[in-house]
């Protein structure tokens, strides 16, 4: 009898579903940027988008991603952390759905390499590239801020923005404020993140599943995300004892007296788990094995200098930590951290099951 292990199955799936968008776009495709509005926007009139536009909604994002002649292109930035840029991407994706546009992603300058290293670009319909024969004749992208400043009545068919010094993303934030209202914002974003997460490529998905199985995730009720490193330049850092107090707060809510609990710890600092074990020797603190983290925490500037394959590995580890934290019952973290804010959206549980030690959740 032939036995197929998870590793063999994953290797087969990765081989069979290689995303050809990784290899083709920069050789066989092109798209354009223009800095001011044009009189006429060239469109493919042989494609009728009306059905997909009418069906496009947060409960049918796939219909939005089949629209051809109305798009919104998000250009990934070269510097920020993974979840920082994912939070921005989700906000841009949300805007695209609100305005019934197909959402596209440009990763040419992304510090984590190819978007397709994590996501199946073809499955999610995220690629901005057209066949070489089309070049700029079909899609010419207007920068969001230029369109808004010009005040033209003709809405451009194709818009673009990014986190950059020209203020384009700041303007998008002002536009999105019209749609963002408390927990309704989280509910809407959860639909967007669900679609994004379903677009994970098989290599990333297998990486995550392998660790979830090894961690025995169903035996873990609590999670912590403890950010140190360069976060000290942006927000107050909290002691390990503050995170312990957060878990005790949830235990008290549940009238839990059992001191033998398992807690998953995600942190950018290698020795934080030792601090926790000294504080609570009866609690079992666990983390991903074989992570290469220093005692001083994450520094984004230094991280960006690393080889691409190391950054991809670290990115998959971060996505794995997020998945584990999304599955546990209760989480203690800080919403000043992009990781914690993205986690609140990724979780499908009551928002009150996440305790922030500092600020309230906010959509930026």
């Amino acid at each position: 009898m032939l036995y197929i292990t998870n590793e063999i199955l994953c290797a087969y799936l990765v081989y069979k579903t290689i995303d050809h968008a990784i290899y083709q776009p920069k050789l066989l495709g092109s798209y354009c940027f223009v800095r001011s509005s044009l009189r006429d926007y060239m469109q493919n009139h042989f494609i009728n988008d009306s059905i997909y536009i009418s069906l496009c909604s947060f409960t049918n994002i796939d219909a939005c991603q089949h629209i051809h002649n109305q798009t919104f292109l998000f250009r990934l930035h070269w510097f920020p952390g993974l979840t920082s840029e994912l939070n921005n991407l989700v906000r841009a994706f949300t805007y695209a759905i609100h305005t019934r546009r197909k959402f596209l992603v440009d990763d040419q300058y992304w510090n984590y390499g190819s978007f397709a290293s994590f996501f199946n670009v073809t499955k999610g319909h995220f690629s901005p590239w057209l066949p070489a024969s089309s070049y700029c004749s079909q899609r010419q992208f207007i920068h969001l801020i230029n369109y808004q400043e010009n005040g033209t009545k003709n809405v451009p068919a194709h818009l673009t923005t990014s986190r950059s010094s020209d203020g384009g993303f700041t303007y998008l934030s002002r536009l999105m404020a019209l749609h963002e209202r408390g927990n309704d914002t989280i509910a809407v974003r959860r639909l967007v993140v669900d679609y994004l997460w379903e677009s994970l490529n098989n290599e990333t998905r297998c990486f995550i599943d392998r660790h979830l199985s090894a961690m025995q995730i169903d035996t873990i009720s609590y999670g912590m995300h403890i950010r140190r490193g360069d976060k000290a330049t942006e927000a107050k850092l909290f002691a390990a004892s503050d995170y312990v107090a957060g878990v005790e707060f949830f235990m008290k809510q549940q009238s839990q007296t059992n001191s033998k609990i398992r807690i998953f710890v995600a942190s950018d600092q290698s020795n934080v788990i030792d601090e926790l074990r000294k504080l609570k020797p009866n609690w079992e603190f666990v983390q991903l094995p074989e992570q290469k983290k220093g005692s001083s925490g994450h520094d984004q500037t230094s991280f960006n200098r690393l080889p691409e394959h190391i950054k991809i590995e670290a990115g998959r580890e971060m996505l794995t930590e997020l998945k584990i934290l999304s599955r546990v019952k209760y989480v203690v973290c800080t919403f000043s951290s992009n990781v914690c804010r993205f986690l609140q959206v990724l979780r499908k549980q009551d928002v009150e099951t996440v305790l922030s030690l500092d600020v309230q959740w906010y959509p930026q």
Side-chain angles (χ1 to χ4, degrees), residues 223-288:
M224 300 176 177
H225 174 258
I226 304 177
R227 179 74 160 90
R228 299 281 174 83
D230 56 10
K231 194 64 181 178
T233 63
E234 303 174 4
K236 174 186 175 181
L237 301 185
F238 290 83
S241 58
D242 295 317
Y243 291 88
V244 168
V247 172
E248 290 175 330
F249 167 78
F250 282 126
M251 293 177 68
K252 185 177 180 180
Q253 274 191 338
Q254 304 303 311
S255 300
Q256 183 174 354
T257 58
N258 181 14
S259 61
K260 293 189 178 297
I261 57 174
R262 298 190 80 211
I263 303 174
F264 178 74
V265 180
S267 179
D268 58 337
Q269 193 172 46
S270 60
N271 57 355
V272 73
I273 200 162
D274 296 326
E275 297 176 33
L276 293 166
R277 286 167 176 162
K278 287 180 181 178
L279 291 169
K280 287 290 182 179
N282 290 333
W283 292 2
E284 183 183 357
F285 296 96
V286 295
Q287 60 184 354
L288 291 186

Side-chain angles (χ1 to χ4, degrees), residues 9-32:
L9 179 60
C10 281
Y12 173 76
L13 289 173
V14 170
Y15 172 77
K16 288 293 288 183
T17 57
I18 290 176
D19 189 352
H20 296 287
I22 300 174
Y23 306 101
Q24 295 178 356
K26 295 177 184 178
L27 297 175
L28 304 179
S30 180
Y31 62 84
C32 305

Side-chain angles (χ1 to χ4, degrees), residues 49-144:
D49 279 335
S50 59
I51 294 178
Y52 290 125
I53 290 173
S54 66
L55 294 174
C56 174
S57 69
F58 288 100
T59 56
N60 191 357
I61 297 175
D62 195 59
C64 307
Q65 291 303 95
H66 280 83
I67 296 172
H68 179 83
N69 288 322
Q70 292 179 189
T71 65
F72 188 60
L73 174 67
F74 181 68
R75 286 145 50 208
L76 292 164
H77 201 262
W78 56 269
F79 181 80
L82 179 65
T83 50
S84 175
E85 197 66 345
L86 285 180
N87 276 324
N88 284 339
L89 182 148
V90 170
R91 198 174 207 191
F93 200 168
T94 304
Y95 174 79
I97 299 167
H98 272 303
T99 54
R100 298 191 175 185
R101 295 171 178 271
K102 180 178 185 176
F103 182 68
L104 306 173
V105 179
D106 174 17
D107 62 2
Q108 289 184 90
Y109 304 107
W110 195 28
N111 50 331
Y112 282 80
S114 171
F115 192 65
S117 294
F118 305 97
F119 298 93
N120 188 321
V121 175
T122 300
K123 180 179 179 181
H125 309 284
F126 297 124
S127 177
W129 300 93
L130 294 172
S133 59
S134 301
Y135 282 102
C136 298
S137 63
Q138 291 187 19
R139 294 193 298 199
Q140 295 172 310
F141 289 85
I142 307 297
H143 197 291
L144 179 65

Side-chain angles (χ1 to χ4, degrees), residues 186-194 344-345 347-349:
I186 296 177
V188 167
R189 289 205 182 188
R190 283 181 172 179
L191 297 173
V192 178
V193 169
D194 276 350
Q344 179 68 291
V345 176
R347 285 171 65 83
K348 297 180 180 179
Q349 303 181 55

Side-chain angles (χ1 to χ4, degrees), residues 193-211:
V193 169
D194 276 350
Y195 184 90
L196 184 68
W197 204 265
E198 283 299 313
S199 300
L200 287 173
N201 64 29
N202 279 319
E203 191 171 0
T204 302
R205 193 178 299 279
C206 287
F207 183 96
I208 294 172
D209 290 345
R210 184 171 66 250
H211 282 88

